[in-house]
Amino acid sequence: MDKEKLVEKNRNRSVPLFECDYNLFDHHLEFYTALGFEIIYYQKAPYRFASVIKEGIGEFGFYGNKNFKENGNRGGCYIYVPNIQEVFADLKSNLKAYYGKIPSKGIPRISRINKTAEDWRVNITDPGENTIIIGETFGDSTTLMEAEDERVRELESKFEKAYAAAYRLAYSKEDFLAARNTLEVAFHKFTAGLNSDMLFKAKVLQAEVFASLGQKKQAKGAIREANEIQLTENEKVQLYSFYERLREINEDINTN
């Protein structure tokens, strides 16, 4: 190894190590190569271990656990990037080229770009159920989350509080079942006097949650109900990003 490569190898960096199923080790690596990672180390004995790397994201290591199904550990990490839109477009293009579609639900999967109180982020769940979060932050996460918690506490509308909780469950934690249940209670109990724009945003979120759970019929119903909500032209302009998300959800349902 030449001096320049050795310097790069020894620069200050972290390499997350994840467990995966020993018997599905190569299938696990296949998903990362589909994302566009390059395998830079691979061994089958005396134990299964491999490393993958992708410019702009970093390096991950994997080792096979023969008892993964019984007592395997699921891990995760957060990767900071300055260009989340470009990174996501690249990952999505690679997956589309490899699989012929974007795996957006089930295991493995990749989310859309989601906006949280802290960042723009993409969640990747690999075949071993490890979670890779790739995000472009808005600033100090502790400060931002404290401000968001304070904003939610000050909300007077029980519906808006439920929407905020469901939004966080879906996009920050990917707990779609809890998000679905939270929204169902909100729609059942707290819609009296609700503004149309808030109702529209909640229906878009509900459609995405249903789609993420593979409940196509319910997702289509939520999309239809969202499109039936009467909004002013000014509200439609302000909710442009939500209309775009609704369009993406509808395309995903009809193509996957």
Side-chain angles (χ1 to χ4, degrees):
M1 181 177 292
D2 61 37
K3 185 175 181 180
E4 184 176 336
K5 288 183 178 180
L6 188 59
V7 169
E8 173 63 18
K9 193 75 173 175
N10 286 322
R11 68 179 170 81
N12 193 309
R13 62 197 177 100
S14 297
V15 179
L17 301 177
F18 299 117
E19 285 189 12
C20 57
D21 192 324
Y22 182 93
N23 297 311
L24 299 174
F25 191 79
D26 291 317
H27 173 65
H28 190 94
L29 291 177
E30 180 185 27
F31 176 66
Y32 281 90
T33 57
L35 285 165
F37 284 79
E38 176 187 359
I39 298 173
I40 57 173
Y41 185 87
Y42 178 89
Q43 70 173 40
K44 197 166 184 178
Y47 55 90
R48 306 213 72 176
F49 184 85
S51 292
V52 300
I53 194 168
K54 181 169 174 53
E55 185 177 353
I57 295 179
E59 181 181 347
F60 302 138
F62 305 104
Y63 57 98
N65 181 348
K66 292 184 177 181
N67 299 312
F68 184 77
K69 291 182 179 179
E70 291 76 23
N71 56 16
N73 295 312
R74 277 65 175 175
C77 68
Y78 189 106
I79 307 295
Y80 289 93
V81 298
N83 56 340
I84 188 66
Q85 295 284 348
E86 294 175 21
V87 170
F88 178 63
D90 180 50
L91 295 173
K92 190 168 66 169
S93 174
N94 291 337
L95 288 169
K96 180 75 172 179
Y98 194 91
Y99 292 120
K101 63 178 184 179
I102 309 299
S104 58
K105 53 183 177 292
I107 306 293
R109 66 177 180 270
I110 184 172
S111 74
R112 296 181 180 84
I113 295 180
N114 297 313
K115 184 180 182 181
T116 73
E118 308 163 68
D119 55 19
W120 287 103
R121 68 171 56 183
V122 172
N123 296 310
I124 299 172
T125 303
D126 72 16
E129 298 184 42
N130 301 299
T131 300
I132 313 298
I133 301 174
I134 304 175
E136 183 175 340
T137 186
F138 301 138
D140 178 73
S141 60
T142 301
T143 302
L144 291 167
M145 285 307 303
E146 287 176 351
E148 173 64 7
D149 290 341
E150 182 63 25
R151 182 191 74 81
V152 174
R153 280 195 295 269
E154 292 177 354
L155 292 172
E156 294 183 4
S157 166
K158 291 183 178 180
F159 187 95
E160 289 188 47
K161 285 188 175 183
Y163 171 78
Y167 191 98
R168 185 179 295 186
L169 286 165
Y171 294 142
S172 293
K173 302 180 182 299
E174 288 203 308
D175 190 343
F176 298 112
L177 278 173
R180 184 199 67 181
N181 296 340
T182 301
L183 286 171
E184 286 194 3
V185 171
F187 281 120
H188 181 69
K189 296 180 65 176
F190 305 130
T191 55
L194 191 65
N195 293 332
S196 296
D197 59 343
M198 184 72 249
L199 182 60
F200 180 79
K201 289 192 286 187
K203 278 295 172 185
V204 174
L205 176 58
Q206 187 181 48
E208 179 135 43
V209 167
F210 281 140
S212 297
L213 291 170
Q215 298 175 329
K216 288 188 176 183
K217 181 179 179 181
Q218 292 90 332
K220 288 180 179 180
I223 291 171
R224 183 181 66 253
E225 291 167 3
N227 285 322
E228 290 173 353
I229 296 171
Q230 298 298 311
L231 297 166
T232 66
E233 290 304 315
N234 185 51
E235 286 172 333
K236 290 179 179 179
V237 171
Q238 293 179 341
L239 293 169
Y240 175 78
S241 63
F242 288 88
Y243 275 103
E244 282 295 293
R245 179 56 67 97
L246 197 65
R247 179 186 60 78
E248 291 174 359
I249 297 166
N250 191 50
E251 286 182 358
D252 182 56
I253 291 171
N254 292 321
T255 56
N256 291 314

